[in-house]
Amino acid sequence: MSAPLPSPVSRTGPRAWWGAWMRGELAFTRTMALVAATLVVAFAGDMLRYTIGWPGYGAVVLVLTVLLGVAFVRRRSPMRPRHLPFALVAFVLWCGLSVIWSQYRGETLVAWGLQLLTAFAGLTMAVSLTRFQFLRALGVGMRLLVYGSLVFEAWVAVFSPGGLIPPSYLRDGTLSQFLGPDAPTTPAQVPANFYWSYGHLLDGGDLQGLPGNRNLLAMIALIAVVITVAELWDRQIGVTRAVIAIAAGVFVLLRTQSATVVVALAFIVLGAALVLAGRHLRRRGRWVMYATVGGILVAGATLVVIFNNEIFALMNRSSDMSGRGDIWRAVINLGDDSPLVGLGWISYWAPWLPQFKHLAVVEGTSYHQAHNSFLDVWMQTGFIGLVFCSVLVFTALIRTWWIAIDRPDTPLIESVREHGHPHLAGMTAVPFLIMVALVVQAMTESRLLIEGGWLFLCYASIYAKLRVQDPSLLPRKTLTARTGPINVIVDPVRDI
């Protein structure tokens, strides 16, 4: 399954290594490095916005977009628009069409442009890298963010134990954009939620890391752990490196204390168990498994509704999930003004718009997302947009599930024991497991619609649509004759 080297590197040393890498002679290619950098920026964009501000962040995004464009052109993919997932195209076009009735047309145009750029990045990743190359790049990017966050938190704990305010917030006029004309003039008066880090590494408090948000950092750590475990299972990473990465990821998960990610982890464990079972069941057995799991989920949801106070108390959270109930009610009231087509696509809530400036205020703090991706989509694009988005998420989840349990399309990993039996690779299940985590996160966060969440959703939907080609495990036959052959990302040399 590992990508073989095109040619051996005869010389050693930094200069020889650099030359070999630039010639494409190393397993971790230049495109993989570009993808890893793009993923870091997508999942931790605030890291750049906190330091070099929005202009600098925009410049970085522009450079990455140009480089991705070059990679896309050089790939010369035989892909055609008809190969794209219908729900993805429909949802993106509907978001763009909403500029016609949008209450904030300028912001809708900008938001749609960013949505298109991110979707293009996902497309480029799907056709420029094989699935294992992409997952390796994703693992590298997420581990870098975990390690970097620990180093950053250690630096803050030692040199700024009172917490660190983003440097860009201290520039003239920045805080007034968020807090109005009465914005504080000294760091000591800045509200706690505006801090990049609280410097809690040594005193046991919550960590926010480079993303500046404990929930985002927890999701990054969870993805890093999932990929590292799969790489270790497939022997694509050394034991020492894997143990260090997993230990760092678990430490961050414990120190972020994100209830959402704890639930996502539980669903990932369930998803992994289902993949292991699904790979060994015939079609009838899978339907029995689906019915059983569906019944368990319905029963579990019923128990959560009945005993929500007790359950959230065990997780040290209020029953309305830290004020999210108030935010959801405010969003529903606003969305009722245009329930069919929505107010207009915006993705990020622009804090200067009157519709959002004071929409979600909890304990004196304004929040600029609905804390539920599907509710956010409905408010912005109405029931029509919600249908497109829901179908997009559902089809990406189902198709990645089909790929995860497809035995013929899953490489065998030889046993390290002399007479041991080979086992099916774990990496082919990783896209499905990450999709499970993102769907769980979408229930309490709107990150699925922007940056890293939207990027991975676009990648997963495109990758899965291209990869699924009428395998026997599908519930029905696909009509590939209507679209033509779509095996545009299968590389017989590297995709093994």
Side-chain angles (χ1 to χ4, degrees):
M1 188 182 73
S2 60
L5 300 181
S7 61
V9 181
S10 58
R11 293 179 297 169
T12 60
R15 296 182 64 181
W17 180 91
W18 177 259
W21 186 68
M22 291 299 293
R23 292 191 299 272
E25 297 175 359
L26 299 183
F28 198 86
T29 65
R30 289 173 292 174
T31 303
M32 292 170 67
L34 171 62
V35 168
T38 303
L39 290 165
V40 167
V41 173
F43 277 90
D46 280 334
M47 172 181 63
L48 297 178
R49 295 190 287 266
Y50 286 164
T51 51
I52 58 179
W54 279 95
Y57 170 75
V60 171
V61 170
L62 179 61
V63 170
L64 291 175
T65 302
V66 171
L67 294 176
L68 287 170
V70 172
F72 181 82
V73 172
R74 292 182 63 182
R75 180 63 173 83
R76 295 181 180 178
S77 169
M79 183 176 182
R80 297 293 180 266
R82 64 178 179 270
H83 295 141
L84 291 172
F86 169 79
L88 174 62
V89 175
F91 178 60
V92 171
L93 290 179
W94 181 255
C95 290
L97 191 64
S98 70
V99 72
I100 297 174
W101 60 83
S102 174
Q103 299 181 9
Y104 30 79
R105 291 185 177 179
E107 286 78 3
T108 295
L109 281 174
V110 173
W112 190 51
L114 293 174
Q115 184 188 45
L116 284 174
L117 286 180
T118 309
F120 171 73
L123 169 63
T124 301
M125 293 176 185
V127 301
S128 299
L129 298 179
T130 67
R131 49 183 172 171
F132 302 121
Q133 288 178 317
F134 170 80
L135 291 174
R136 185 181 175 192
L138 177 61
V140 168
M142 297 302 98
R143 286 192 289 266
L144 284 176
L145 285 176
V146 170
Y147 295 146
S149 293
L150 290 175
V151 172
F152 169 70
E153 288 287 356
W155 184 89
V156 175
V158 173
F159 296 103
S160 184
L164 180 67
I165 299 173
S168 62
Y169 282 10
L170 300 178
R171 294 168 189 162
D172 292 340
T174 301
L175 282 176
S176 61
Q177 296 177 6
F178 297 100
L179 302 175
D182 298 327
T185 57
T186 61
Q189 299 173 322
V190 175
N193 62 297
F194 281 85
Y195 275 68
W196 187 355
S197 168
Y198 300 121
H200 286 330
L201 180 65
L202 303 179
D203 61 18
D206 296 347
L207 302 182
Q208 303 210 121
L210 293 175
N213 182 293
R214 63 186 180 87
N215 293 310
L216 301 185
L217 178 60
M219 181 56 67
I220 289 169
L222 180 60
I223 295 173
V225 169
V226 168
I227 294 178
T228 305
V229 169
E231 287 179 325
L232 181 61
W233 174 257
D234 296 346
R235 298 202 303 278
Q236 297 302 303
I237 188 174
V239 175
T240 301
R241 287 179 56 201
V243 170
I244 293 174
I246 293 171
V250 171
F251 176 79
V252 169
L253 285 174
L254 294 174
R255 291 296 303 275
T256 49
Q257 301 184 51
S258 172
T260 298
V261 174
V262 169
V263 176
L265 176 59
F267 274 90
I268 282 179
V269 172
L270 173 62
L274 294 178
V275 168
L276 291 175
R279 286 177 172 180
H280 295 88
L281 293 174
R282 296 184 180 273
R283 183 177 299 180
R284 180 176 298 179
R286 293 193 190 108
W287 284 112
V288 173
M289 181 180 69
Y290 299 154
T292 303
V293 173
I296 293 174
L297 292 177
V298 170
T302 303
L303 290 175
V304 169
V305 172
I306 296 174
F307 301 105
N308 66 91
N309 290 326
E310 292 80 358
I311 292 173
F312 284 105
L314 290 175
M315 301 172 68
N316 195 28
R317 294 290 185 273
S318 61
S319 58
D320 72 339
M321 289 173 283
S322 303
R324 283 175 171 79
D326 294 334
I327 296 175
W328 294 340
R329 283 187 288 272
V331 171
I332 291 173
N333 290 335
L334 179 62
D336 279 338
D337 292 341
S338 182
L340 182 62
V341 298
L343 305 180
W345 175 249
I346 195 170
S347 64
Y348 302 92
W349 288 6
W352 57 84
L353 290 175
Q355 293 90 340
F356 305 109
K357 189 172 185 179
H358 301 295
L359 176 62
V361 180
V362 179
E363 296 181 355
T365 299
S366 294
Y367 291 88
H368 299 106
Q369 59 157 313
H371 281 286
N372 182 289
S373 297
F374 301 101
L375 186 60
D376 224 336
V377 165
W378 168 74
M379 183 266 291
Q380 297 179 41
T381 62
F383 285 117
I384 297 176
L386 178 60
V387 170
F388 290 147
C389 183
S390 300
V391 172
L392 168 62
V393 174
F394 180 76
T395 53
L397 192 64
I398 294 301
R399 283 172 176 156
T400 52
W401 160 257
W402 287 338
I403 293 169
I405 63 174
D406 183 14
R407 291 176 62 91
D409 196 39
T410 302
L412 282 173
I413 307 299
E414 296 296 331
S415 174
V416 294
R417 295 179 295 179
E418 184 176 353
H419 300 292
H421 298 287
H423 64 267
L424 293 171
M427 289 292 279
T428 55
V430 169
F432 167 69
L433 298 178
I434 295 178
M435 277 300 305
V436 169
L438 292 179
V439 170
V440 173
Q441 184 190 39
M443 298 298 108
T444 59
E445 301 284 342
S446 296
R447 303 300 301 190
L448 191 64
L449 307 178
I450 59 174
E451 301 193 42
W454 174 245
L455 175 59
F456 188 87
L457 176 59
C458 292
Y459 166 81
S461 63
I462 297 170
Y463 145 80
K465 172 68 181 294
L466 298 177
R467 190 82 198 181
V468 172
Q469 296 183 75
D470 205 14
S472 59
L473 60 91
L474 295 182
R476 60 177 176 80
K477 297 295 182 181
T478 57
L479 300 177
T480 54
R482 290 184 179 178
T483 62
I486 56 176
N487 56 336
V488 298
I489 57 169
V490 178
D491 186 330
V493 176
R494 292 186 179 273
D495 196 26
I496 59 178

